[in-house]
Amino acid sequence: MARSFSTFELKQLENNPNVLKVSDRSITYHPEFKKLAVHAYKEGASPTEIFLEHGFDLSVIGKEQPKRCLQRWRDTYSKYGEAGLENERRSKGSTGRPSSKHLTAEEKLKKAEARIKYLEAENEFLKKLEEMERQAMKKKQN
């Protein structure tokens, strides 16, 4: 599950000129930064170096984020050129997880049953975890 940015982290990211917009869970990078990053990578800079040099705090965005972004941007660049980096491809118009609008009633039911099964398993796990925490607290108190 993706982590949420704190208010302080959001402000820090908003103040970075290489960020176009930021929400509590995602960052949209400026197209010029994407182009610059791809070119810098081609010239031998590592993803981490590129992000650090442009004011990103890896403890905020995550140490793997530069690598993931550069991989995605390089793929986009190889398919669409620089123009591909100018448009956000992860929004409403992008292909991705199929919409539930196109599912049959049977598919929707199967999906709902799978979700229920997952949530039941999650609840059982949390109950066991709480019990283990209670036992650990009892041991600690004794």
Short mmCIF file of all heavy atoms in Angstrom, two decimals, residues 85-133:
data_model
loop_
_atom_site.label_atom_id
_atom_site.label_comp_id
_atom_site.label_asym_id
_atom_site.label_seq_id
_atom_site.Cartn_x
_atom_site.Cartn_y
_atom_site.Cartn_z
N LEU A 85 7.07 12.55 -22.94
CA LEU A 85 7.33 12.97 -21.56
C LEU A 85 6.57 14.24 -21.19
O LEU A 85 6.51 14.60 -20.02
CB LEU A 85 8.84 13.19 -21.36
CG LEU A 85 9.71 11.94 -21.54
CD1 LEU A 85 11.19 12.32 -21.51
CD2 LEU A 85 9.40 10.90 -20.49
N GLU A 86 6.00 14.90 -22.18
CA GLU A 86 5.28 16.15 -21.92
C GLU A 86 3.84 15.91 -21.46
O GLU A 86 3.23 16.78 -20.88
CB GLU A 86 5.29 17.03 -23.16
CG GLU A 86 6.69 17.52 -23.46
CD GLU A 86 6.80 18.27 -24.76
OE1 GLU A 86 5.76 18.51 -25.42
OE2 GLU A 86 7.93 18.62 -25.12
N ASN A 87 3.32 14.71 -21.71
CA ASN A 87 1.95 14.41 -21.32
C ASN A 87 1.96 13.38 -20.21
O ASN A 87 2.70 12.40 -20.28
CB ASN A 87 1.16 13.84 -22.51
CG ASN A 87 1.12 14.81 -23.66
OD1 ASN A 87 1.02 16.00 -23.46
ND2 ASN A 87 1.21 14.29 -24.87
N GLU A 88 1.10 13.57 -19.23
CA GLU A 88 0.97 12.59 -18.14
C GLU A 88 0.19 11.41 -18.67
O GLU A 88 -0.92 11.53 -19.15
CB GLU A 88 0.25 13.22 -16.94
CG GLU A 88 0.17 12.32 -15.75
CD GLU A 88 1.52 11.84 -15.22
OE1 GLU A 88 2.48 12.61 -15.19
OE2 GLU A 88 1.60 10.66 -14.83
N ARG A 89 0.81 10.22 -18.63
CA ARG A 89 0.21 9.03 -19.21
C ARG A 89 -0.49 8.17 -18.16
O ARG A 89 -1.03 7.12 -18.47
CB ARG A 89 1.27 8.21 -19.93
CG ARG A 89 2.08 9.04 -20.90
CD ARG A 89 2.98 8.17 -21.73
NE ARG A 89 2.27 7.68 -22.90
CZ ARG A 89 2.00 8.41 -23.97
NH1 ARG A 89 2.35 9.67 -24.02
NH2 ARG A 89 1.37 7.88 -24.99
N ARG A 90 -0.49 8.60 -16.89
CA ARG A 90 -1.05 7.75 -15.83
C ARG A 90 -2.42 8.24 -15.37
O ARG A 90 -2.91 7.83 -14.34
CB ARG A 90 -0.11 7.75 -14.61
CG ARG A 90 1.23 7.13 -14.89
CD ARG A 90 2.11 7.20 -13.68
NE ARG A 90 2.31 8.58 -13.29
CZ ARG A 90 2.63 8.97 -12.07
NH1 ARG A 90 2.78 8.10 -11.12
NH2 ARG A 90 2.81 10.24 -11.80
N SER A 91 -3.05 9.10 -16.12
CA SER A 91 -4.32 9.67 -15.65
C SER A 91 -5.51 8.92 -16.25
O SER A 91 -5.39 7.81 -16.71
CB SER A 91 -4.37 11.15 -16.01
OG SER A 91 -4.30 11.30 -17.41
N LYS A 92 -6.65 9.59 -16.29
CA LYS A 92 -7.90 8.97 -16.69
C LYS A 92 -7.85 8.30 -18.07
O LYS A 92 -8.45 7.27 -18.27
CB LYS A 92 -9.03 10.00 -16.68
CG LYS A 92 -9.39 10.48 -15.30
CD LYS A 92 -10.49 11.50 -15.35
CE LYS A 92 -10.79 12.01 -13.96
NZ LYS A 92 -11.77 13.07 -13.97
N GLY A 93 -7.17 8.89 -19.00
CA GLY A 93 -7.15 8.36 -20.35
C GLY A 93 -6.21 7.19 -20.55
O GLY A 93 -6.19 6.58 -21.62
N SER A 94 -5.43 6.86 -19.56
CA SER A 94 -4.43 5.80 -19.74
C SER A 94 -5.06 4.42 -19.63
O SER A 94 -6.11 4.24 -19.01
CB SER A 94 -3.32 5.94 -18.70
OG SER A 94 -3.82 5.68 -17.42
N THR A 95 -4.40 3.46 -20.25
CA THR A 95 -4.86 2.09 -20.11
C THR A 95 -4.28 1.54 -18.83
O THR A 95 -3.23 1.96 -18.37
CB THR A 95 -4.41 1.22 -21.30
OG1 THR A 95 -2.99 1.27 -21.35
CG2 THR A 95 -4.99 1.72 -22.60
N GLY A 96 -4.92 0.63 -18.24
CA GLY A 96 -4.44 0.09 -16.98
C GLY A 96 -5.41 -0.96 -16.49
O GLY A 96 -5.90 -1.77 -17.26
N ARG A 97 -5.72 -0.91 -15.23
CA ARG A 97 -6.67 -1.86 -14.65
C ARG A 97 -8.02 -1.70 -15.34
O ARG A 97 -8.51 -0.59 -15.50
CB ARG A 97 -6.79 -1.54 -13.16
CG ARG A 97 -7.48 -2.63 -12.38
CD ARG A 97 -7.49 -2.31 -10.93
NE ARG A 97 -6.15 -2.32 -10.39
CZ ARG A 97 -5.82 -1.88 -9.20
NH1 ARG A 97 -6.73 -1.36 -8.42
NH2 ARG A 97 -4.60 -1.93 -8.77
N PRO A 98 -8.64 -2.82 -15.76
CA PRO A 98 -9.92 -2.70 -16.46
C PRO A 98 -11.01 -2.10 -15.57
O PRO A 98 -11.06 -2.38 -14.38
CB PRO A 98 -10.27 -4.13 -16.85
CG PRO A 98 -9.35 -5.01 -16.12
CD PRO A 98 -8.20 -4.19 -15.63
N SER A 99 -11.83 -1.29 -16.17
CA SER A 99 -12.92 -0.64 -15.44
C SER A 99 -13.99 -1.66 -15.08
O SER A 99 -14.29 -2.56 -15.85
CB SER A 99 -13.52 0.46 -16.30
OG SER A 99 -14.69 0.95 -15.70
N SER A 100 -14.60 -1.47 -13.91
CA SER A 100 -15.67 -2.40 -13.51
C SER A 100 -16.93 -2.17 -14.34
O SER A 100 -17.85 -2.98 -14.31
CB SER A 100 -15.97 -2.23 -12.02
OG SER A 100 -16.35 -0.90 -11.76
N LYS A 101 -16.99 -1.10 -15.12
CA LYS A 101 -18.16 -0.84 -15.97
C LYS A 101 -18.33 -1.93 -17.03
O LYS A 101 -19.43 -2.18 -17.46
CB LYS A 101 -18.00 0.51 -16.68
CG LYS A 101 -17.98 1.70 -15.77
CD LYS A 101 -17.73 2.95 -16.59
CE LYS A 101 -17.21 4.05 -15.71
NZ LYS A 101 -16.63 5.15 -16.46
N HIS A 102 -17.23 -2.54 -17.44
CA HIS A 102 -17.28 -3.50 -18.53
C HIS A 102 -17.42 -4.94 -18.06
O HIS A 102 -17.31 -5.85 -18.85
CB HIS A 102 -16.03 -3.36 -19.40
CG HIS A 102 -15.82 -1.97 -19.90
ND1 HIS A 102 -16.71 -1.33 -20.75
CD2 HIS A 102 -14.84 -1.08 -19.65
CE1 HIS A 102 -16.27 -0.12 -21.01
NE2 HIS A 102 -15.14 0.07 -20.35
N LEU A 103 -17.64 -5.15 -16.78
CA LEU A 103 -17.74 -6.50 -16.25
C LEU A 103 -19.18 -6.99 -16.30
O LEU A 103 -20.13 -6.22 -16.11
CB LEU A 103 -17.25 -6.54 -14.80
CG LEU A 103 -15.80 -6.15 -14.54
CD1 LEU A 103 -15.52 -6.19 -13.05
CD2 LEU A 103 -14.85 -7.06 -15.28
N THR A 104 -19.32 -8.29 -16.53
CA THR A 104 -20.66 -8.89 -16.49
C THR A 104 -21.06 -9.03 -15.02
O THR A 104 -20.22 -8.90 -14.12
CB THR A 104 -20.65 -10.28 -17.14
OG1 THR A 104 -19.84 -11.15 -16.35
CG2 THR A 104 -20.15 -10.24 -18.57
N ALA A 105 -22.32 -9.32 -14.80
CA ALA A 105 -22.81 -9.49 -13.43
C ALA A 105 -22.05 -10.62 -12.74
O ALA A 105 -21.70 -10.52 -11.56
CB ALA A 105 -24.31 -9.77 -13.43
N GLU A 106 -21.78 -11.70 -13.47
CA GLU A 106 -21.05 -12.83 -12.91
C GLU A 106 -19.62 -12.44 -12.53
O GLU A 106 -19.13 -12.81 -11.47
CB GLU A 106 -21.03 -13.99 -13.91
CG GLU A 106 -20.47 -15.28 -13.34
CD GLU A 106 -20.56 -16.43 -14.33
OE1 GLU A 106 -21.62 -16.57 -14.98
OE2 GLU A 106 -19.59 -17.17 -14.43
N GLU A 107 -18.97 -11.64 -13.39
CA GLU A 107 -17.61 -11.18 -13.11
C GLU A 107 -17.59 -10.26 -11.90
O GLU A 107 -16.69 -10.34 -11.07
CB GLU A 107 -17.02 -10.48 -14.33
CG GLU A 107 -16.72 -11.41 -15.49
CD GLU A 107 -16.37 -10.67 -16.78
OE1 GLU A 107 -16.94 -9.57 -17.03
OE2 GLU A 107 -15.55 -11.20 -17.53
N LYS A 108 -18.59 -9.40 -11.81
CA LYS A 108 -18.68 -8.49 -10.66
C LYS A 108 -18.86 -9.28 -9.37
O LYS A 108 -18.26 -8.96 -8.35
CB LYS A 108 -19.84 -7.51 -10.84
CG LYS A 108 -19.57 -6.43 -11.85
CD LYS A 108 -20.77 -5.49 -11.97
CE LYS A 108 -20.57 -4.47 -13.06
NZ LYS A 108 -21.73 -3.61 -13.25
N LEU A 109 -19.69 -10.33 -9.43
CA LEU A 109 -19.92 -11.17 -8.27
C LEU A 109 -18.63 -11.87 -7.85
O LEU A 109 -18.28 -11.89 -6.67
CB LEU A 109 -21.02 -12.20 -8.56
CG LEU A 109 -21.35 -13.17 -7.43
CD1 LEU A 109 -21.84 -12.42 -6.19
CD2 LEU A 109 -22.39 -14.18 -7.88
N LYS A 110 -17.92 -12.44 -8.81
CA LYS A 110 -16.64 -13.11 -8.51
C LYS A 110 -15.65 -12.13 -7.89
O LYS A 110 -14.95 -12.46 -6.94
CB LYS A 110 -16.04 -13.72 -9.77
CG LYS A 110 -16.67 -15.03 -10.18
CD LYS A 110 -15.95 -15.63 -11.36
CE LYS A 110 -16.58 -16.95 -11.75
NZ LYS A 110 -15.92 -17.54 -12.92
N LYS A 111 -15.62 -10.93 -8.43
CA LYS A 111 -14.72 -9.90 -7.92
C LYS A 111 -15.10 -9.53 -6.48
O LYS A 111 -14.24 -9.41 -5.61
CB LYS A 111 -14.79 -8.67 -8.83
CG LYS A 111 -13.71 -7.66 -8.62
CD LYS A 111 -13.80 -6.57 -9.69
CE LYS A 111 -12.76 -5.52 -9.46
NZ LYS A 111 -12.79 -4.46 -10.45
N ALA A 112 -16.39 -9.38 -6.23
CA ALA A 112 -16.87 -9.04 -4.89
C ALA A 112 -16.57 -10.18 -3.91
O ALA A 112 -16.16 -9.93 -2.76
CB ALA A 112 -18.36 -8.73 -4.92
N GLU A 113 -16.78 -11.41 -4.35
CA GLU A 113 -16.50 -12.57 -3.48
C GLU A 113 -15.01 -12.64 -3.14
O GLU A 113 -14.64 -12.92 -2.00
CB GLU A 113 -16.96 -13.87 -4.15
CG GLU A 113 -18.47 -14.02 -4.15
CD GLU A 113 -18.95 -15.20 -4.99
OE1 GLU A 113 -18.18 -15.70 -5.84
OE2 GLU A 113 -20.11 -15.61 -4.78
N ALA A 114 -14.16 -12.37 -4.12
CA ALA A 114 -12.71 -12.38 -3.89
C ALA A 114 -12.33 -11.28 -2.90
O ALA A 114 -11.51 -11.48 -2.00
CB ALA A 114 -11.96 -12.20 -5.20
N ARG A 115 -12.96 -10.12 -3.05
CA ARG A 115 -12.69 -8.99 -2.14
C ARG A 115 -13.13 -9.34 -0.72
O ARG A 115 -12.42 -9.06 0.25
CB ARG A 115 -13.43 -7.75 -2.64
CG ARG A 115 -13.26 -6.54 -1.75
CD ARG A 115 -12.36 -5.53 -2.40
NE ARG A 115 -12.31 -4.32 -1.60
CZ ARG A 115 -11.23 -3.95 -0.91
NH1 ARG A 115 -10.16 -4.67 -0.93
NH2 ARG A 115 -11.24 -2.85 -0.20
N ILE A 116 -14.29 -9.96 -0.58
CA ILE A 116 -14.79 -10.38 0.74
C ILE A 116 -13.83 -11.38 1.37
O ILE A 116 -13.48 -11.26 2.55
CB ILE A 116 -16.22 -10.96 0.62
CG1 ILE A 116 -17.22 -9.84 0.29
CG2 ILE A 116 -16.62 -11.68 1.90
CD1 ILE A 116 -18.58 -10.34 -0.15
N LYS A 117 -13.39 -12.34 0.57
CA LYS A 117 -12.46 -13.36 1.08
C LYS A 117 -11.16 -12.70 1.54
O LYS A 117 -10.64 -13.03 2.61
CB LYS A 117 -12.18 -14.39 -0.02
CG LYS A 117 -11.45 -15.61 0.43
CD LYS A 117 -11.38 -16.63 -0.68
CE LYS A 117 -10.68 -17.88 -0.20
NZ LYS A 117 -10.64 -18.93 -1.22
N TYR A 118 -10.67 -11.75 0.76
CA TYR A 118 -9.45 -11.03 1.13
C TYR A 118 -9.65 -10.27 2.44
O TYR A 118 -8.82 -10.33 3.35
CB TYR A 118 -9.05 -10.06 0.01
CG TYR A 118 -7.92 -9.14 0.41
CD1 TYR A 118 -6.60 -9.57 0.33
CD2 TYR A 118 -8.18 -7.86 0.88
CE1 TYR A 118 -5.56 -8.73 0.72
CE2 TYR A 118 -7.15 -7.02 1.26
CZ TYR A 118 -5.85 -7.46 1.19
OH TYR A 118 -4.83 -6.63 1.57
N LEU A 119 -10.76 -9.55 2.54
CA LEU A 119 -11.03 -8.75 3.75
C LEU A 119 -11.22 -9.64 4.98
O LEU A 119 -10.78 -9.28 6.08
CB LEU A 119 -12.24 -7.85 3.53
CG LEU A 119 -12.02 -6.71 2.52
CD1 LEU A 119 -13.34 -6.02 2.21
CD2 LEU A 119 -10.99 -5.73 3.02
N GLU A 120 -11.86 -10.79 4.79
CA GLU A 120 -12.01 -11.72 5.92
C GLU A 120 -10.65 -12.22 6.39
O GLU A 120 -10.39 -12.30 7.59
CB GLU A 120 -12.91 -12.89 5.52
CG GLU A 120 -14.38 -12.52 5.42
CD GLU A 120 -15.26 -13.64 4.86
OE1 GLU A 120 -14.73 -14.58 4.21
OE2 GLU A 120 -16.49 -13.56 5.07
N ALA A 121 -9.78 -12.54 5.44
CA ALA A 121 -8.42 -13.00 5.79
C ALA A 121 -7.65 -11.88 6.49
O ALA A 121 -6.94 -12.12 7.48
CB ALA A 121 -7.68 -13.45 4.54
N GLU A 122 -7.82 -10.66 6.01
CA GLU A 122 -7.16 -9.52 6.62
C GLU A 122 -7.65 -9.33 8.06
O GLU A 122 -6.86 -9.09 8.98
CB GLU A 122 -7.42 -8.26 5.80
CG GLU A 122 -6.66 -7.03 6.27
CD GLU A 122 -6.91 -5.83 5.38
OE1 GLU A 122 -8.10 -5.51 5.11
OE2 GLU A 122 -5.93 -5.21 4.98
N ASN A 123 -8.96 -9.45 8.27
CA ASN A 123 -9.52 -9.33 9.62
C ASN A 123 -8.97 -10.40 10.54
O ASN A 123 -8.63 -10.11 11.70
CB ASN A 123 -11.05 -9.40 9.58
CG ASN A 123 -11.68 -8.09 9.15
OD1 ASN A 123 -11.05 -7.04 9.21
ND2 ASN A 123 -12.91 -8.17 8.69
N GLU A 124 -8.89 -11.64 10.07
CA GLU A 124 -8.33 -12.73 10.88
C GLU A 124 -6.88 -12.43 11.25
O GLU A 124 -6.47 -12.64 12.38
CB GLU A 124 -8.42 -14.07 10.13
CG GLU A 124 -9.81 -14.65 10.13
CD GLU A 124 -10.36 -14.87 11.54
OE1 GLU A 124 -9.67 -15.47 12.39
OE2 GLU A 124 -11.50 -14.42 11.80
N PHE A 125 -6.13 -11.95 10.28
CA PHE A 125 -4.74 -11.61 10.53
C PHE A 125 -4.63 -10.53 11.61
O PHE A 125 -3.83 -10.64 12.55
CB PHE A 125 -4.07 -11.12 9.24
CG PHE A 125 -2.68 -10.57 9.45
CD1 PHE A 125 -1.60 -11.42 9.63
CD2 PHE A 125 -2.47 -9.19 9.49
CE1 PHE A 125 -0.33 -10.90 9.83
CE2 PHE A 125 -1.21 -8.68 9.70
CZ PHE A 125 -0.13 -9.54 9.87
N LEU A 126 -5.46 -9.50 11.49
CA LEU A 126 -5.43 -8.41 12.47
C LEU A 126 -5.84 -8.89 13.86
O LEU A 126 -5.27 -8.45 14.87
CB LEU A 126 -6.31 -7.25 12.01
CG LEU A 126 -5.79 -6.50 10.78
CD1 LEU A 126 -6.82 -5.51 10.28
CD2 LEU A 126 -4.47 -5.82 11.08
N LYS A 127 -6.82 -9.78 13.93
CA LYS A 127 -7.22 -10.34 15.22
C LYS A 127 -6.06 -11.10 15.86
O LYS A 127 -5.78 -10.95 17.05
CB LYS A 127 -8.42 -11.29 15.06
CG LYS A 127 -9.73 -10.58 14.81
CD LYS A 127 -10.84 -11.61 14.62
CE LYS A 127 -12.14 -10.96 14.19
NZ LYS A 127 -13.17 -11.97 13.90
N LYS A 128 -5.37 -11.92 15.05
CA LYS A 128 -4.22 -12.67 15.56
C LYS A 128 -3.11 -11.73 16.00
O LYS A 128 -2.47 -11.95 17.03
CB LYS A 128 -3.71 -13.65 14.50
CG LYS A 128 -4.64 -14.82 14.28
CD LYS A 128 -4.12 -15.74 13.19
CE LYS A 128 -5.11 -16.87 12.94
NZ LYS A 128 -4.69 -17.73 11.83
N LEU A 129 -2.89 -10.69 15.23
CA LEU A 129 -1.86 -9.71 15.57
C LEU A 129 -2.18 -9.02 16.89
O LEU A 129 -1.31 -8.87 17.76
CB LEU A 129 -1.72 -8.68 14.45
CG LEU A 129 -0.65 -7.61 14.63
CD1 LEU A 129 0.74 -8.24 14.69
CD2 LEU A 129 -0.71 -6.61 13.47
N GLU A 130 -3.43 -8.59 17.07
CA GLU A 130 -3.84 -7.96 18.32
C GLU A 130 -3.66 -8.90 19.50
O GLU A 130 -3.20 -8.49 20.57
CB GLU A 130 -5.31 -7.50 18.23
CG GLU A 130 -5.51 -6.26 17.40
CD GLU A 130 -6.97 -5.87 17.26
OE1 GLU A 130 -7.86 -6.65 17.67
OE2 GLU A 130 -7.22 -4.78 16.74
N GLU A 131 -4.02 -10.17 19.32
CA GLU A 131 -3.86 -11.16 20.38
C GLU A 131 -2.39 -11.33 20.73
O GLU A 131 -2.02 -11.38 21.91
CB GLU A 131 -4.47 -12.51 19.95
CG GLU A 131 -4.37 -13.59 21.01
CD GLU A 131 -5.04 -13.24 22.34
OE1 GLU A 131 -6.06 -12.51 22.34
OE2 GLU A 131 -4.52 -13.69 23.37
N MET A 132 -1.53 -11.38 19.72
CA MET A 132 -0.09 -11.52 19.97
C MET A 132 0.45 -10.29 20.71
O MET A 132 1.28 -10.41 21.61
CB MET A 132 0.66 -11.72 18.65
CG MET A 132 0.41 -13.07 18.01
SD MET A 132 1.08 -13.22 16.35
CE MET A 132 2.82 -13.23 16.67
N GLU A 133 -0.04 -9.11 20.34
CA GLU A 133 0.40 -7.88 21.01
C GLU A 133 -0.05 -7.88 22.47
O GLU A 133 0.70 -7.47 23.35
CB GLU A 133 -0.15 -6.65 20.28
CG GLU A 133 0.55 -6.39 18.97
CD GLU A 133 -0.07 -5.24 18.18
OE1 GLU A 133 -1.23 -4.86 18.44
OE2 GLU A 133 0.62 -4.74 17.26
#
